[in-house]
Amino acid sequence: MAVALRNLLGHLPRTLLTVGAIAVGLASLIFLWSFNEGLHQNMLGNFQRAIIGSVQIHHEGFFQQPELSGYIRNPQKVTEVLEKNGLNDFSRRLESFGLAASDETTEGVMLIGMDPITEPRVTELEKRIGIGRFLQPEDSYSLILGATTANNLRVKLGDQVIIVGYDRYGVMVAESFTLIGIITSGEMGLDRGMALTSLETLQEMVDMPGQVTTFAINIPQKSIDKSVSALKAQLLDESLEIMPWHVMFPVMKEWVTLHNGFLYLFIGVVLFIVVAGELNTLLLSMLERTREFGVFMAIGTTRQEVAALLITEALFIGILGTITGLILGLITVLLTGVTGIDLSILLGSTSRFYVDPLIYPQLELDRLGITISAILIASVAAGLYPAWRASLLQPAEAIRNG
Amino acid sequence: MTSIIKTHDLHKCYWVGTMPHPALHGINLDIKQGEFAVLAGRSGSGKSTLLNIIGALESADSGSVEVFGQNILEMTQDQRTRFRLHNIGFVFQAYNLIRVFSARENIAYVCQLQGKSKEESLEIANHWLREVEIEHLGYRRPDQLSGGQQQRVAIARALASDPKIILADEPTANLDTQTGRNLIHLMQDLNQRLGTTFLISSHDPDVKEAASRLIKLADGQIVDEWSTIPKTPTSIYSDCPVQNMPFGERVQFMIKRLIRWRRIRKPSKKNRRRS
């Protein structure tokens, strides 16, 4: 071990260069992982807080066919179980298809009646209203439309919009609403085809007092699956479907998986560069020291000890590079985690695809562990070939030709 | 005196592509304990190859090499390494010290390989630095030492493992005349005081002059050898390959040897055309 250290210190510039390459590689990986995690958390958080929440509870089949006949039969029990599990951030909704009509035209909409007090615990719709305001508890027959829908209907704040729908018996109903807000999120899913009103108003319109079709719940990302299992076990109601966001919109999860796949590919490339760089250095070092290895063997060092010497050198380089890279990476993540990374040049001032222009990298400890292990293993692996080559040297030939 | 190195019909040929380059051709050698033997001969005569094979650094194509009664050609690589560690010390022409170690550490390293503790190894290193008269330079690295000083460290390193044999390949070749002479005296002194056998390959006249036994090699064969070691009356012919021959055969052998010697010294026209 002392010999390996001496050798590394004896060739300090080369050692530092290799350590630096590993450190920069690891720091880049740590930063990329953190940025990626921050981006995903931001995107998935925004997606869930836009309208759907983390988990929704409906009557069986309602998600596929949202008709008022599919209302939740026992909303009180659902409320009790949610509260019992400490899931207090939930909002009750009544959802149905409808038709929005202005003086000039009509547009199909998803009509959502929501509680103005509890809804902000689940979604951030309030923040996405660019024109006008969000619903207030005292509002009655007030309406919020998406920007595209409002534009298509050619209506502005304060205008009257007729909403035509069906009550739970299938009878057509129509009411006049006052437009109080327009959603300008930049997301097509929100800006087009969305009509929001208060829960009480919609219940009154469709003659379903006290009834709801949906519970939208906000649960921390890591607890979603655990909470869903707990709810399923405690509700014991086959007429209910408890759906986490990724079941409702699997494409989002697939997108994240695909994005992670690209990152794994990138990690592979970085690891290859680290291995190739270190292999090159160690191989050069080995070739330069051929005579020295010959002398080591001549004076009594075994082939295994010579190989172990090179592997130890590789391990030292790997450990030094890992420590340096870890420090560099953590500093970068901590700094950018405070200031955020402004992507407005790429995304514009408004968010696109549920991504905010300012991304805050987040470090995941399990990924940090995997990255560090991968770099260390790659470093040692890079030392194996030179070590094997050195162990095959013939002392006399190595001294003669080295 | 006891034989410690015996070679029998040793052959070695190097190959450069498909071209054979014979290095040793039927070497029979017997080195006794305590000898200060010198292998002399021109470059390419096979001195270094013979030394390397005796030192278990290289293999021979055929024949046998017995060192302390063990045929080293039959040993595995690891067995040879261990054998070298405990029995043979090496001194190289280019010193070949480990450059990242100080003089003291270069010497102590061998002892540590033998399993001695660091403290004991450094004690031994100090002892040998005193023996080779450079104790004050122990903390210097090889690049801070002159050629002669480096070679003294190399000798100390060779002796530190307490070997019975020191094999030195052209130890004075890179040194000036006076430093070379000093080194020869040092080796002679160690040989006489400690009884360590020295087998040195050299074409330095000073080394040859110091030899107790001179073995001349040419084209991979021993062409001449003599010894200054006085032999007891009972063993006066013990080293002579013709000791048991009848008188007539002895004369015939000597004539053949003389003819071969002349051929090597002055090749015939036919041989010159061939070469």
Side-chain angles (χ1 to χ4, degrees), chain B residues 97-266:
Chain B
L97 300 176
I98 310 297
R99 54 193 163 155
V100 292
F101 285 166
S102 67
R104 207 160 76 108
E105 288 164 341
N106 259 286
I107 302 163
Y109 177 69
V110 184
C111 303
Q112 283 182 281
L113 283 177
Q114 287 183 319
K116 296 186 175 89
S117 70
K118 194 179 176 187
E119 291 71 28
E120 193 187 354
S121 301
L122 288 171
E123 273 300 307
I124 294 169
N126 285 336
H127 165 75
W128 286 110
L129 280 168
R130 266 195 304 278
E131 284 286 337
V132 298
E133 297 162 3
I134 49 165
E135 196 184 6
H136 59 294
L137 302 174
Y139 289 96
R140 289 201 189 167
R141 293 223 173 150
D143 58 1
Q144 296 167 320
L145 299 170
S146 70
Q149 288 165 342
Q150 285 191 57
Q151 202 58 299
R152 280 171 185 265
V153 176
I155 291 169
R157 179 178 68 181
L159 287 160
S161 60
D162 196 22
K164 304 291 179 293
I165 310 161
I166 299 281
L167 301 178
D169 190 7
E170 304 278 5
T172 58
N174 286 3
L175 305 175
D176 62 74
T177 312
Q178 191 51 50
T179 313
R181 280 179 186 154
N182 292 343
L183 200 81
I184 296 160
H185 290 148
L186 173 72
M187 290 193 288
Q188 266 188 314
D189 177 50
L190 292 167
N191 166 250
Q192 281 158 18
R193 278 197 298 118
L194 308 171
T196 310
T197 307
F198 277 76
L199 180 58
I200 305 165
S201 85
S202 181
H203 50 241
D204 180 348
D206 289 329
V207 177
K208 287 188 227 172
E209 208 171 284
S212 65
R213 183 169 168 203
L214 187 70
I215 302 140
K216 280 194 174 177
L217 280 114
D219 297 335
Q221 289 177 308
I222 295 173
V223 291
D224 194 16
E225 61 178 293
W226 58 263
S227 174
T228 58
I229 298 171
K231 295 176 179 175
T232 57
T234 54
S235 64
I236 192 162
Y237 294 115
S238 59
D239 290 341
C240 180
V242 294
Q243 59 177 314
N244 295 322
M245 289 179 185
F247 178 74
E249 280 184 30
R250 272 192 212 182
V251 173
Q252 208 177 350
F253 176 84
M254 294 306 288
I255 291 167
K256 276 184 186 172
R257 189 166 168 174
L258 190 65
I259 292 167
R260 193 174 65 184
W261 173 242
R262 282 176 60 82
R263 270 189 195 154
I264 290 161
R265 296 292 289 265
K266 190 181 176 184

Side-chain angles (χ1 to χ4, degrees), chain A residues 167-329:
Chain A
D167 66 12
R168 66 166 155 163
Y169 306 108
V171 177
M172 187 182 284
V173 287
E175 290 290 349
S176 175
F177 288 75
T178 308
L179 187 64
I180 60 161
I182 296 171
I183 300 167
T184 53
S185 66
E187 306 297 344
M188 205 173 72
L190 284 178
D191 290 359
R192 181 161 195 171
M194 198 71 74
L196 313 176
T197 185
S198 69
L199 179 62
E200 275 185 29
T201 301
L202 194 58
Q203 282 173 338
E204 190 179 296
M205 181 182 156
V206 297
D207 193 21
M208 291 178 72
Q211 300 299 328
V212 295
T213 56
T214 306
F215 276 82
I217 312 155
N218 180 25
I219 301 173
Q221 196 65 28
K222 286 178 181 170
S223 327
I224 290 176
D225 291 339
K226 197 178 153 192
S227 299
V228 167
S229 302
L231 289 174
K232 278 182 181 170
Q234 289 172 36
L235 282 168
L236 287 172
D237 188 345
E238 287 181 4
S239 71
L240 292 175
E241 58 186 15
I242 302 167
M243 302 174 84
W245 66 269
H246 53 82
V247 174
M248 290 186 279
F249 295 94
V251 68
M252 287 300 283
K253 192 166 189 183
E254 282 159 14
W255 190 89
V256 169
T257 308
L258 183 72
H259 199 233
N260 279 340
F262 282 120
L263 200 70
Y264 282 122
L265 199 68
F266 182 78
I267 287 168
V269 171
V270 171
L271 281 178
F272 176 76
I273 292 169
V274 165
V275 170
E278 197 183 341
L279 182 68
N280 180 49
T281 308
L282 288 172
L283 209 54
L284 264 177
S285 159
M286 182 244 143
L287 291 173
E288 258 181 36
R289 292 189 289 159
T290 299
R291 174 192 283 260
E292 198 171 283
F293 290 133
V295 175
F296 269 122
M297 287 172 164
I299 61 177
T301 312
T302 60
R303 290 180 302 159
Q304 293 82 351
E305 284 167 337
V306 168
L309 176 72
L310 272 165
I311 291 171
T312 311
E313 283 182 23
L315 188 65
F316 273 135
I317 287 175
I319 290 171
L320 270 176
T322 305
I323 292 170
T324 318
L326 187 63
I327 293 167
L328 271 177

